[in-house]
Amino acid sequence: MTVTDTATTGHEAGRVTVLEASSVTMRFGGLTAVDDVSMRVHEGEIVGLIGPNGAGKTTFFNCLTGMYVPTEGTVTLKGAILPPKPLKVVRAGMARTFQNIRLFGNMTALENVMVGRYCRTSSMALTSILRGPKFKREEAATRERAQELLDYVGLGRSTELLARNMPYGDQRRLEIARALATDPQILLLDEPTAGMNPRETEETMGLIFKIREGGLAVVVIEHDMRFIFNLCDRVLCLVRGSLLVEGTPDQVQSDHRVIEAYIGGDDEEESV
Amino acid sequence: MSRRILPDSVRATHGPKAPWLALAGGILFLLSGLLSWSYDDRILGDLSIRFYPAGIQLYAMLFGVIGVILAVLLLRRPPWLSPARGLRILGTTGIVFVVWIIASVAYQSGGLINANEGGWVALVGAVLLTLAGHLSPEVDIDVRRWPRLSSTLEIVIIVVLMAILLFTVAYTLDIQDGVIFASFLIALIGLAGGLLGTGFGGYLGFIGANNRRPLLLAAFLVAFLFPFTQDGSDANMSIATQVLIFATTALGLNIVVGLAGLLDLGYIAFLGTGAYVAAMLSSSGFATIGWKPPFVVVMLIGAATAATFGLIIGSPTLRVSGDYLAIVTLGFGEIFRLAMFNLDGNNGPDLTNGPNGIPAIPDLELLGFDFGEVHTVAGIPLGRFSNYYFVLLLLLMFVMLVFTRLNNSRIGRGWVAIREDERAAEAMGVNTFGLKLLAFSVGAFLAGLAGTIKAHQDTSVSPDQYVFLESAFLLSAVVLGGMGTVVGVLVGATILKLLPEKLREVNDYRLLVFGLLLVVMMRFRPEGLVPSKRRQLEFHEEDQELSELLQAEHLQAEHLDPEQLEPEHLQGAK
């Protein structure tokens, strides 16, 4: 085995597959939003998902997380097939953020993250009313873990602020903290730096690297090419619902079909 | 938040005169109390005598006192109060109050000529107060400057407030004349609104939050002592027990509506389920079931039956969006009533005696304590209604406990998340369907519990007690009082049950009055009289000023300094 071989194939083969989407297709009536897309994500890997507007990136995310039921294809997490129900997907260990921030605006930052702990805690009605030692222990643990996660994403001081009063960049971090609270094995981020200034973008990159260090796999949708190519181990480019190119950032970056898809509308017409 | 009627230029030139206008208005109000309001001395508890204020003249003088206090505050300018807002509320309500009385005098004594100088002086005073409120500059309330009191002083404030509450309730119940009662209510709204609207209400909430236990203790002491103020009379106690049943049921409904955000239009059916179960299992001669278990067992069966119905209704409908639930529950309420109407032996089994219902349900007897008899405690006789009052008070406490504990738990957080964004909540692992079903069945369970006691207190059950209108009233109590709070629902339920009892004159129009009241509420204060902070925020998504004020109040209550809360990465940038 040569050195170059280990760099390309060994990278893939030596690691455990966390998420595998095989031939996922999503049709809305006559429109095929996602067409036969397959993706494999390994442990500790950061995968980027790019493509022009309307390419089906977010729809693909929704298929992965069970918010849409794919017309065809399956999604497996660590070998087990995921039922297309958001609740079960989260419990199985996949968490996400949203393109247009969907925090619980009238809750504090801490409460938002505590909601994320919901699926990993179990106090029900009677326990909550009786307030036994189990309830108190679990409540304290939830609070402690939530505070820990806020510290982790750099919002340790904003604990008691209402989410709707927080600056835009902080809201994006809070969404990540909330997703992390569900103890995921893989994190899906939908445009985590949209609307951020360069400084905040850089901090977000640091945060995502830190999350990867913790052993999580990360899939990122982003329009900011520099961000994607600096961040990701592997990049997938979707165009009009189908997978156009998959490869390392360098490969994708230099692929003329990707450049065409983004800026070369005229070229396409000529070639047809 | 401010409603600016006057142009900025007028406010700028005449603003400095505002405190003096307010002072003049307050003094005119004080003066009007000493003058005669009516030529006719037979109406409204005699307002014809000069320099001997009584009844309504005293209310006018209270307007004056608050007006003067607010005027002084305008001059002193404390940073944590905004007297302008209080003055606007006080003045506007003052105008309504005076016009209402002048109109009543004119109507009752046959002509406007009978309205004497007192009313007109007060009217000028009210207009001056309103004008001052609109002229004076808005103060951005700085809650960080809230005065810090010693804990003893804070508890003293709570005790004084509770004493005022007990006195006000006793006084209100004592008023027999409908017009005077209405005047008192208007005055109460103006006086309380004028004081609390300055931002003082937020401060009182802060004190209350600091002393939760003493506050609860004092409140229950007041409620517990109330029957002892009635000297064995059942007149007010009968109203009080009705208020308690209504409030308990409304609080159960508030779990469904206020916490989980589900619209239930047939809630009264769950109360009815409990009542019918208790009636059928009672030792009434008309009871249709031979088994007579002890009452504690009956309570559990009634509540469990109601909860089962809740599960049956809820499980198919809660998966879809809210509107369907409203329609299905509306239908369920009618189905329940018609089923009770028809299960008379001719159309199916004889369970309910049809339209006749089950009468002659005997009084409760628990541990040898007969609820039908008069018991004398410390020389004060406590009648039948007082006995039920104490049991219902215990039940209310239980429902309050369930409400607050569920609200402050993992489940409560889940409910808030569902109200905020159901799809996002589900994507974060919140079992939305399960939590909605839980709210629905817990609400049904508590209503069923209340129903079993209600059957014995009413001594009979019949289908016409459980019509749609009752569900609508329960919902109104929740909306009027404040979704998601305990105190709000208690206030709403008290108003809705007490008003028809006291305002017999307008009883025929009560639906019209409640309808108007709700419309006005939706326009000016959709979050209810005593809203939860979260609900207030939800109703004013666009109001940045409000969210920052509530944010500051929250930080203050948590004893945190906002200056220290800047995220680290922003501090470097400054």
Side-chain angles (χ1 to χ4, degrees):
Chain A
M1 224 197 276
T2 61
V3 179
T4 41
D5 269 340
T6 26
T8 52
T9 57
H11 194 75
E12 306 239 320
R15 283 168 160 182
V16 186
T17 306
V18 181
L19 177 75
E20 182 169 11
S22 28
S23 313
V24 170
T25 301
M26 183 76 218
R27 289 195 198 92
F28 298 103
L31 176 85
T32 308
V34 178
D35 190 6
D36 194 27
V37 176
S38 297
M39 182 177 78
R40 203 184 261 260
V41 184
H42 306 98
E43 223 170 45
E45 193 180 23
I46 302 178
V47 175
L49 205 55
I50 60 169
N53 283 328
K57 304 179 298 286
T58 299
T59 311
F60 183 55
F61 257 30
N62 285 343
C63 290
L64 295 180
T65 52
M67 294 186 89
Y68 292 160
V69 182
T71 324
E72 282 161 38
T74 51
V75 182
T76 56
L77 191 70
K78 288 245 165 124
I81 292 186
L82 282 180
K85 296 243 169 64
L87 208 61
K88 291 180 178 165
V89 169
V90 180
R91 283 207 192 119
M94 176 151 61
R96 68 170 297 175
T97 65
F98 295 91
Q99 185 179 348
N100 43 345
I101 302 174
R102 290 178 86 163
L103 286 167
F104 309 120
N106 297 319
M107 297 177 103
T108 64
L110 188 75
E111 286 169 331
N112 265 282
V113 184
M114 285 169 86
V115 169
R117 292 300 296 161
Y118 186 92
C119 60
R120 303 292 171 206
T121 44
S122 62
S123 297
M124 275 320 284
L126 216 56
T127 334
S128 307
I129 294 168
L130 296 176
R131 299 267 145 128
K134 181 197 168 247
F135 174 86
K136 284 180 184 152
R137 220 179 311 127
E138 194 177 89
E139 198 71 4
T142 305
R143 190 169 287 271
E144 195 183 331
R145 175 81 181 125
Q147 181 65 52
E148 233 172 70
L149 283 166
L150 283 175
D151 291 335
Y152 183 76
V153 301
L155 293 174
R157 291 157 178 257
S158 309
T159 311
E160 293 298 333
L161 291 186
L162 286 176
R164 69 189 248 187
N165 286 350
M166 290 168 79
Y168 195 73
D170 287 4
Q171 293 194 0
R172 290 244 177 241
R173 290 156 179 273
L174 180 55
E175 242 198 347
I176 294 176
R178 185 179 68 174
L180 287 175
T182 63
D183 290 345
Q185 297 171 6
I186 179 163
L187 188 63
L188 310 186
L189 305 175
D190 198 344
E191 300 197 18
T193 66
M196 282 186 173
N197 62 33
R199 192 193 143 89
E200 287 173 321
T201 305
E202 203 166 306
E203 281 169 357
T204 306
M205 197 181 297
L207 178 60
I208 296 174
F209 280 134
K210 197 160 77 168
I211 290 169
R212 188 253 297 268
E213 302 292 301
L216 267 71
V218 182
V219 184
V220 187
I221 293 180
E222 200 34 269
H223 278 299
D224 183 341
M225 289 300 145
R226 223 178 46 190
F227 175 77
I228 278 282
F229 292 132
N230 285 334
L231 180 77
C232 299
D233 303 318
R234 207 146 48 80
V235 177
L236 281 76
C237 178
L238 287 186
V239 175
R240 274 185 239 127
S242 12
L243 186 58
L244 187 69
V245 183
E246 178 181 356
T248 62
D250 289 339
Q251 287 166 346
V252 174
Q253 211 166 359
S254 51
D255 195 302
H256 71 279
R257 288 171 299 174
V258 176
I259 301 166
E260 246 168 47
Y262 268 91
I263 52 169
D266 295 331
D267 289 281
E268 233 168 79
E269 269 169 33
E270 280 166 19
S271 64
V272 166
Chain B
M1 289 217 303
S2 60
R3 294 194 183 86
R4 301 213 155 87
I5 291 177
L6 299 172
D8 282 346
S9 57
V10 176
R11 290 152 52 89
T13 41
H14 298 285
K17 294 175 197 157
W20 308 108
L21 282 179
L23 199 62
I27 290 171
L28 281 182
F29 250 122
L30 280 174
L31 195 67
S32 77
L34 301 175
L35 300 174
S36 161
W37 285 57
S38 160
Y39 179 76
D40 192 337
D41 58 6
R42 289 161 304 176
I43 56 167
L44 301 177
D46 192 357
L47 301 175
S48 64
I49 307 172
R50 295 191 174 85
F51 305 108
Y52 187 73
I56 286 172
Q57 287 156 312
L58 278 177
Y59 308 159
M61 293 182 85
L62 283 177
F63 269 100
V65 171
I66 308 277
V68 170
I69 291 176
L70 291 182
V72 172
L73 286 177
L74 264 187
L75 286 171
R76 300 281 304 271
R77 292 179 182 281
W80 56 285
L81 285 178
S82 168
R85 198 156 162 264
L87 273 174
R88 284 202 299 270
I89 299 173
L90 186 76
T92 318
T93 330
I95 294 176
V96 174
F97 172 77
V98 177
V99 168
W100 161 253
I101 293 183
I102 292 178
S104 304
V105 169
Y107 177 75
Q108 290 197 16
S109 57
L112 197 57
I113 189 75
N114 290 301
N116 269 355
E117 74 281 359
W120 302 112
V121 171
L123 190 60
V124 176
V127 171
L128 286 183
L129 287 177
T130 316
L131 200 61
H134 283 291
L135 276 177
S136 43
E138 215 63 45
V139 180
D140 280 330
I141 297 171
D142 185 2
V143 299
R144 277 174 295 167
R145 307 275 290 269
W146 272 343
R148 298 295 173 118
L149 304 175
S150 70
S151 58
T152 333
L153 204 56
E154 288 187 348
I155 290 176
V156 168
I157 291 178
I158 288 174
V159 170
V160 169
L161 283 177
M162 283 298 151
I164 292 175
L165 181 72
L166 184 61
F167 174 79
T168 314
V169 170
Y171 180 83
T172 317
L173 285 172
D174 251 8
I175 302 174
Q176 301 303 331
D177 184 297
V179 177
I180 300 183
F181 182 78
S183 323
F184 180 68
L185 277 192
I186 299 173
L188 206 58
I189 293 169
L191 299 172
L195 265 186
L196 304 180
T198 55
F200 190 60
Y203 180 58
L204 284 186
F206 169 67
I207 291 185
N210 278 346
N211 302 278
R212 207 164 279 279
R213 269 158 209 274
L215 182 66
L216 268 178
L217 201 70
F220 277 117
L221 205 63
V222 166
F224 180 77
L225 288 179
F226 175 70
F228 293 92
T229 64
Q230 295 301 309
D231 203 24
S233 150
D234 266 351
N236 285 337
M237 287 319 294
S238 140
I239 301 176
T241 48
Q242 283 182 39
V243 169
L244 274 186
I245 287 191
F246 191 68
T248 311
T249 320
L251 194 55
L253 179 62
N254 205 7
I255 295 181
V256 183
V257 177
L259 297 187
L262 304 166
L263 186 53
D264 186 343
L265 293 176
Y267 195 68
I268 197 73
F270 298 124
L271 185 74
T273 305
Y276 262 100
V277 167
M280 286 188 275
L281 297 176
S282 74
S283 44
S284 156
F286 299 90
T288 47
I289 295 177
W291 186 40
K292 314 288 174 210
F295 184 67
V296 178
V297 178
V298 173
M299 275 179 101
L300 287 178
I301 294 175
T305 314
T308 312
F309 280 143
L311 287 176
I312 293 172
I313 302 302
S315 44
T317 45
L318 287 171
R319 289 184 192 278
V320 287
S321 69
D323 310 351
Y324 295 94
L325 184 71
I327 295 166
V328 170
T329 51
L330 181 67
F332 171 65
E334 286 304 288
I335 290 170
F336 172 79
R337 185 177 65 83
L338 290 172
M340 294 304 111
F341 197 84
N342 283 314
L343 290 175
D344 57 357
N346 295 328
N347 314 295
D350 184 14
L351 282 175
T352 65
N353 298 331
N356 298 326
I358 301 172
I361 303 168
D363 277 308
L364 280 178
E365 206 177 324
L366 283 177
L367 308 169
F369 183 88
D370 187 346
F371 280 68
E373 287 186 0
V374 177
H375 299 265
T376 306
V377 177
I380 300 170
L382 296 171
R384 176 174 180 273
F385 284 106
S386 302
N387 298 334
Y388 282 104
Y389 177 90
F390 289 122
V391 175
L392 288 167
L393 197 61
L394 281 180
L395 183 67
L396 179 65
M397 284 165 72
F398 172 69
V399 177
M400 279 169 69
L401 187 88
V402 171
F403 183 97
T404 46
R405 290 203 161 174
L406 283 182
N407 193 16
N408 299 316
S409 72
R410 165 178 181 263
I411 293 170
R413 283 192 299 274
W415 282 333
V416 179
I418 291 174
R419 286 197 327 249
E420 293 264 317
D421 186 339
E422 189 165 341
R423 296 273 285 166
E426 203 171 5
M428 287 304 127
V430 176
N431 183 356
T432 53
F433 172 69
L435 278 188
K436 288 196 285 184
L437 197 59
L438 177 76
F440 207 66
S441 48
V442 168
F445 185 90
L446 295 175
L449 219 52
T452 54
I453 299 181
K454 180 179 158 62
H456 287 271
Q457 198 229 301
D458 285 352
T459 68
S460 72
V461 293
S462 59
D464 54 358
Q465 290 171 312
Y466 303 101
V467 290
F468 166 68
L469 202 57
E470 294 297 324
S471 294
F473 270 133
L474 283 169
L475 197 62
S476 313
V478 172
V479 173
L480 181 73
M483 281 188 265
T485 55
V486 172
V487 181
V489 169
L490 296 185
V491 171
T494 312
I495 291 176
L496 283 190
K497 268 290 163 188
L498 204 58
L499 280 187
E501 292 292 336
K502 281 295 172 187
L503 296 176
R504 294 255 174 233
E505 290 87 349
V506 293
N507 217 352
D508 294 342
Y509 304 102
R510 69 187 174 124
L511 293 179
L512 184 70
V513 174
F514 288 159
L516 279 176
L517 195 66
L518 282 176
V519 171
V520 171
M521 283 291 295
M522 286 304 105
R523 170 63 187 83
F524 291 104
R525 206 175 159 82
E527 65 267 35
L529 291 173
V530 191
S532 77
K533 282 184 184 167
R534 186 115 57 203
R535 275 295 190 171
Q536 209 169 355
L537 287 166
E538 284 171 25
F539 275 107
H540 301 275
E541 287 290 352
E542 302 300 319
D543 195 336
Q544 195 56 31
E545 219 176 292
L546 176 76
S547 81
E548 270 158 23
L549 176 68
L550 292 181
Q551 168 86 73
E553 284 185 8
H554 173 71
L555 292 180
Q556 203 65 14
E558 298 279 324
H559 302 286
L560 291 167
D561 182 4
E563 298 297 323
Q564 309 228 313
L565 290 170
E566 291 287 323
E568 298 101 65
H569 65 277
L570 283 184
Q571 280 188 333
K574 272 189 177 170

